[in-house]
């Protein structure tokens, strides 16, 4: 009886709810507050100027054959750190980036059996908040590998806010979709929402949910646990990409770190574009000498302009284009080593090809010598399945040939195995001085800071879709900077010169583009991609108006300023490189006039070389006016854009 009484008292003590304690951390400027409550549950809240972004958002983890982790826990250790550093990216939107944040680290332990420990790390930046969790070394008592089967990180909003959401509907995805404007309550239980998810909290407050430092983990999506009625508060929850043919999300080991769960915060959507929070949440550059990494514009072989035409003569024409334009690269796309697929594009990989062998129609030694003489570097397209089998043999060979980079395609996954494969490929490519462009890819998470040879990636509904659909609308192209591009570099492949007014566009081969010539020119400034692939045929560029801008515009920047913008309506960005400022502006299907504040120029007199929609560009979309204008920072620049139009220019100090 005595033993029974003692046992009952012990169980009563263990089952007694833990009184929740609140721990908080604020941003360096004091405007952002991030709170976590630990007790019976773990929950997060985030505020900007006292306004709630999320409130009482619960967090828990479910491991295979284990109790739920995240209930009845207590804090056993607390540590605070101030981060204050400046670092210089190898390639980026800024010459120097300030990494200023306050960090709170908490060690948590279950009050009841089995007494597991978990570390939470919270950071508050001036432009957002982030947290990650670390699997304690004490988990080694449960095995060398512990299957994570569910992560419940909730984002509970106080109202049914407006969002711009990409519903991929599957974890097997190229992440190519529109970001549709909707109330949060429109997200259904079957939706798989991609990141970033942009949310308008109030007229003067925006947030975007995404992740940073995705390493040895599964990619994150969002969903809802239960439907909500319009106007109600709503909560979103993380959904992780499962391992193939498995219910396991992540095989974790003691010491494993989750990616950072990030909420970007700004008073207007353009301020989110200017943020460097994702890069700041990644590790410093791991390449000892990255001086060989070269950004730039690339010509792209015949795929955009027609059907695949893989022969030496065609490739040499595109090398000539790159040389004439002063572009750094020429991309040799698929079929150079044979048909990559079996009977169906996107189906099974062709097992009979070899990525170290070249088809007879392509004289690779001649092409390499010709490109070298023209001072143009070469990039090679590869199917990921073939890279997986032959990278150890192929990458050293490409380095020997003088190839400078690879474009790898059709992965369409971001489960833990595939994420690790990305990292393996980028590291192996760096060993052989190869840059990387991933297509059919998942979103960026800031890892380019660590491995800057990963110059760009797709994971975007880009210009290629104009070949077979009317989905690349001016509304879509003015939404992308505020949504997908918040995650980082974006290989949209701009530069289409068969421009068509909105009502005149039709799918065709060679491909056309909806909107004006100046709209496409502006993309080279607005869309950030250290490797920018210009899509069109040499003949479509020859002697064409606006070509001068594509000879001038760079792809990396010393400074970036979003001058105005409204999601899906219009945007204007100014970017600086080597003392020159470059300007790009785009509008949706509405004609638009804007006045641009030029105070970013600073003191002195400037000469603006401009490219603007012609008066008849609403009918003749290839028409533009160009000229030179003397101007100072105290003046305001008035620009007029046709429906689907744009404006591009660059400022030279005099």
């Amino acid at each position: 009886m005595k033993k029974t009484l003692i046992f009952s008292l012990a169980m009563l003590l263990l089952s007694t709810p833990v009184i929740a304690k609140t721990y908080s951390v604020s941003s360096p400027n004091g405007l952002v507050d991030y709170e976590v409550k630990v007790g019976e549950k773990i929950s997060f809240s985030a505020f900007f100027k006292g306004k709630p972004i999320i409130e009482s958002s619960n967090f828990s983890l479910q491991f295979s054959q284990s109790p739920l982790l995240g209930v009845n826990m207590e804090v056993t250790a607390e540590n605070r750190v101030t981060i204050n550093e400046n670092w210089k990216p190898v390639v980026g939107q800024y010459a120097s980036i300030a990494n200023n944040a306050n960090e709170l680290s908490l060690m948590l332990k279950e009050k009841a059996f089995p007494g597991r420990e978990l570390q939470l790390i919270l950071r508050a930046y001036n432009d957002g908040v982030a947290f990650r969790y670390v699997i304690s070394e004490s988990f080694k008592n449960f095995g060398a590998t512990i299957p994570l089967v569910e992560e419940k990180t909730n984002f509970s909003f106080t109202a049914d806010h407006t969002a711009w959401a990409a519903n991929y509907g599957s974890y097997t995805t190229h992440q190519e979709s529109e970001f549709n404007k909707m109330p949060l309550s429109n997200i259904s239980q079957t939706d798989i929402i991609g990141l970033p998810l942009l949310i308008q909290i109030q007229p003067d407050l925006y947030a975007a949910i995404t992740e940073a430092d995705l390493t040895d983990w599964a990619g994150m999506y969002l969903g809802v646990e239960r439907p909500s009625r319009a106007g109600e508060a709503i909560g979103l929850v993380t959904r992780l990409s499962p391992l193939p043919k498995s219910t396991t999300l992540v095989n974790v080991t003691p010491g494993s770190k989750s990616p950072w769960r990030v909420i970007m915060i700004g008073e207007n959507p353009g301020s989110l574009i200017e943020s460097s929070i994702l890069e700041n949440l990644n590790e410093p550059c791991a390449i000892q000498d990255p001086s060989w990494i070269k950004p730039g514009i690339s010509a792209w072989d015949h795929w955009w302009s027609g059907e695949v035409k893989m022969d030496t003569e065609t490739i040499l024409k595109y090398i000539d284009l790159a040389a004439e334009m002063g572009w750094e690269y020429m991309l040799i796309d698929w079929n150079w080593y044979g048909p990559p697929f079996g009977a169906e594009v996107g189906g099974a990989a062709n097992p009979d090809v070899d990525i170290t062998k070249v088809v007879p129609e392509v004289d690779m030694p001649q092409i390499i010598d010709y490109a070298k003489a023209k001072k143009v570097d070469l990039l090679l397209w590869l199917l990921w399945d073939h890279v997986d089998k032959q990278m150890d043999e192929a990458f050293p060979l490409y380095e020997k040939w003088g190839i400078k980079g690879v474009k790898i395609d059709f992965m369409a996954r971001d489960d833990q195995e595939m994420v690790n494969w990305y990292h393996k490929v980028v590291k192996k490519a760096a060993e052989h001085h190869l840059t990387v462009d991933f297509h059919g890819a998942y979103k960026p998470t800031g890892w380019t800071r660590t491995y800057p040879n990963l110059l760009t990636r797709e994971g975007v509904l880009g210009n290629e879709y104009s070949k077979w659909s009317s989905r690349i609308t001016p509304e879509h192209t003015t939404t992308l900077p505020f949504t997908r591009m918040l995650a980082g570099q974006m290989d949209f492949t701009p530069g289409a010169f068969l421009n068509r007014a909105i009502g005149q566009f039709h799918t065709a081969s060679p491909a056309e583009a909806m909107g004006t010539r100046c709209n496409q020119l502006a993309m080279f400034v607005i869309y950030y991609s250290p490797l920018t692939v210009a899509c069109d045929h040499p003949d479509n560029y020859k002697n064409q108006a606006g070509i001068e801008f594509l000879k001038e515009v760079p792809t990396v920047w010393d400074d970036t300023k979003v001058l105005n913008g409204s999601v899906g309506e219009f945007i204007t960005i100014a970017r600086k490189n080597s003392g020159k400022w470059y300007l790009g502006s785009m509008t949706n299907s509405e004609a638009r006039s804007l006045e641009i504040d030029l105070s970013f120029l600073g003191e002195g007199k400037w000469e603006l070389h401009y490219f603007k929609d012609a008066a008849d560009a609403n009918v003749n979309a290839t028409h533009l006016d160009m000229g030179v204008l003397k101007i100072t920072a105290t003046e305001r620049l008035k620009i007029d854009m046709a429906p689907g139009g744009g404006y591009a220019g660059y400022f030279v100090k005099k």
Side-chain angles (χ1 to χ4, degrees), residues 87 89-97 264 270 272-277 279 481 485-489 525-530 555-562 573-577 581:
W87 60 278
V90 176
V91 294
Q93 300 186 87
Y94 301 95
S96 178
I97 293 176
M264 306 170 72
L272 303 182
I273 298 172
E274 296 177 348
S275 173
S276 297
I277 189 171
E279 294 95 328
M485 200 176 77
L486 298 182
Q489 65 272 26
V525 178
I526 293 171
Y527 292 166
Y528 169 60
S529 185
T555 64
V556 292
W557 311 100
D558 299 327
D559 199 2
T560 293
K561 296 184 181 297
V562 181
I573 295 183
R575 300 187 190 264
K576 189 178 185 181
N577 179 291
W581 281 96

Side-chain angles (χ1 to χ4, degrees), residues 177-179 460-462 471-481 483 492 527 568:
S177 176
E178 294 84 359
F179 287 79
V460 62
L461 185 68
R471 295 173 67 180
I472 309 304
T473 65
E475 282 66 32
H476 174 64
T477 56
T478 51
T479 298
L480 284 177
T483 51
F492 182 86
Y527 292 166

Side-chain angles (χ1 to χ4, degrees), residues 496-497 499 516-522 543-550 609-618 620-627 640 642 645-648:
F497 263 39
N499 314 102
T516 70
R517 174 74 52 81
C518 286
N519 182 276
Q520 290 284 319
L521 296 182
N543 299 322
Q544 287 293 305
I547 202 68
E548 299 85 354
F549 187 72
L550 298 189
H609 299 249
Y610 65 83
F611 304 81
K612 65 179 184 179
D613 291 332
D616 65 345
N618 61 321
N620 300 303
T622 60
H623 288 190
L624 61 81
D625 294 329
M626 52 187 290
D640 298 306
Y647 185 100

